[in-house]
Amino acid sequence: MKLVRYGQPGSEKPGLIDADGKIRDLSAHIADLKGDALSPASLAKIAALSPDSLPKVTGNPRLGSCVAQPGNFIAVGLNYADHAAESGLPIPREPVLFNKAPSCMVGPHDNVVIPRGSKKTDWEVELAIVIGKRASYVEEKDALSYVAGYAVCNDVSERAYQTEGTGQWMKGKGCPTFGPLGPWLVTPDEVGDVQNLDMWLDVDDKRMQTGSTKTMIFGVAHIVHYISQFMIMEAGDVITTGTPPGVGMGMKPPRYLEPGNVVTLGIDKLGTQKQTFVAWSA
């Protein structure tokens, strides 16, 4: 299934994409795509519905982030060897974890705001995992059964905030609008082999990133297992899993985003995003 949230910010409704690519309203069955609505039992009930029995949504409504109000928005850094190299950092021996603020999540086609004073706002196409049930001390062999689905994430990053001061990377990762997620939440049955998905990102129609999830250092199952050794994840939590090479920071000279730049990105089977970057204003 492909599940969406559509409507104006703060008033989104849950929906399902039918065979014709049209949105069908799910609000009579679930309140939103969050928490227990993403549990295996809930997703099984949704899958059993006939799309034709659901109201068709007319027009082309805005899409919100495909998951609402996650308790955690966890990120994995340096999870592609080539990206670690372009960052001038060694290949990690275990996953590098940090947090993105859940409040940074926006829709896949919403504007992204360059923070006040920022000169080093960067792009990162990433595969995101959405958790479907409480995960604590998960065995790697069982880890994929905890996944509700997958989505495209642009892990927008402010590199000066991230690396040039003291403290953790999260300072450059959780600014408002720095977490476009979607367009859809795609359930694992539609994705197939999650470790063999092509991914790409363009800035102003110029290809910057080309990669595949098959080159991840730590795969999805290991990531879910690993994070669950240190914290409890609940249904609806989001994990974004790292980016392939081609980010602005790694260019010579580095290139960063400016107001008016348009970033388009996508992952095979998971859809595409398109954002215009805009200047911060009070």
Side-chain angles (χ1 to χ4, degrees), residues 164-243:
E164 295 179 14
T166 60
Q168 298 184 359
W169 285 8
M170 63 181 293
K171 293 187 302 180
K173 295 286 190 171
C175 302
T177 72
F178 269 29
L181 191 71
W184 317 303
L185 173 65
V186 186
T187 51
D189 58 296
E190 280 209 23
V191 174
D193 183 2
V194 72
Q195 301 300 163
N196 190 25
L197 303 178
D198 292 335
M199 52 204 307
W200 56 272
L201 181 144
D202 296 346
V203 178
D204 294 339
D205 296 323
K206 181 178 180 181
R207 184 58 45 94
M208 299 296 181
Q209 290 186 274
T210 302
S212 171
T213 58
K214 66 186 176 184
T215 66
M216 290 168 65
I217 298 168
F218 305 105
V220 168
H222 185 76
I223 288 169
V224 173
H225 152 74
Y226 181 83
I227 295 173
S228 77
Q229 308 307 303
F230 306 104
M231 60 182 288
I232 294 172
M233 291 179 285
E234 301 284 3
D237 282 356
V238 176
I239 308 166
T240 191
T241 60
T243 197

Side-chain angles (χ1 to χ4, degrees), residues 40 45 55 134 222 245 258 266-267:
K45 289 179 181 178
R134 173 174 275 220
H222 185 76
E258 299 178 350
I267 300 177

Side-chain angles (χ1 to χ4, degrees), residues 4-260:
V4 298
R5 298 175 65 248
Y6 68 95
Q8 293 305 305
S11 301
E12 294 94 343
K13 293 182 178 181
L16 178 150
I17 303 296
D18 69 15
D20 296 322
K22 302 299 183 181
I23 301 174
R24 299 285 183 152
D25 182 25
L26 278 173
S27 57
H29 299 274
I30 56 172
D32 207 344
L33 288 172
K34 64 179 184 179
D36 288 341
L38 298 169
S39 70
S42 176
L43 292 180
K45 289 179 181 178
I46 295 170
L49 298 171
S50 169
D52 291 341
S53 71
L54 302 171
K56 185 180 290 186
V57 177
T58 59
N60 294 293
R62 168 192 172 268
L63 297 182
S65 61
C66 61
V67 175
Q69 300 173 335
N72 291 293
F73 192 173
I74 307 157
V76 181
L78 306 175
N79 197 28
Y80 290 73
D82 289 348
H83 175 57
E86 73 177 352
S87 302
L89 296 167
I91 295 173
R93 291 177 294 177
E94 57 186 274
V96 175
L97 304 181
F98 58 92
N99 289 320
K100 288 178 75 75
S103 60
C104 81
M105 283 178 30
V106 291
H109 310 308
D110 289 345
N111 289 345
V112 174
V113 178
I114 296 173
R116 180 174 62 181
S118 167
K119 298 187 183 304
K120 296 184 178 181
T121 294
D122 205 348
W123 59 83
E124 295 190 10
V125 59
E126 302 200 5
L127 168 77
I129 307 164
V130 177
I131 296 297
K133 59 184 178 180
R134 173 174 275 220
S136 179
Y137 296 113
V138 172
E139 297 292 335
E140 187 165 348
K141 64 182 177 60
D142 302 321
L144 295 184
S145 70
Y146 288 78
V147 175
Y150 303 98
V152 181
C153 179
N154 188 355
D155 178 19
V156 185
S157 308
E158 212 297 336
R159 301 302 189 186
Y161 300 173
Q162 178 187 355
T163 63
E164 295 179 14
T166 60
Q168 298 184 359
W169 285 8
M170 63 181 293
K171 293 187 302 180
K173 295 286 190 171
C175 302
T177 72
F178 269 29
L181 191 71
W184 317 303
L185 173 65
V186 186
T187 51
D189 58 296
E190 280 209 23
V191 174
D193 183 2
V194 72
Q195 301 300 163
N196 190 25
L197 303 178
D198 292 335
M199 52 204 307
W200 56 272
L201 181 144
D202 296 346
V203 178
D204 294 339
D205 296 323
K206 181 178 180 181
R207 184 58 45 94
M208 299 296 181
Q209 290 186 274
T210 302
S212 171
T213 58
K214 66 186 176 184
T215 66
M216 290 168 65
I217 298 168
F218 305 105
V220 168
H222 185 76
I223 288 169
V224 173
H225 152 74
Y226 181 83
I227 295 173
S228 77
Q229 308 307 303
F230 306 104
M231 60 182 288
I232 294 172
M233 291 179 285
E234 301 284 3
D237 282 356
V238 176
I239 308 166
T240 191
T241 60
T243 197
V247 300
M249 177 180 64
M251 294 182 173
K252 300 186 186 303
R255 174 181 175 180
Y256 296 110
L257 293 162
E258 299 178 350

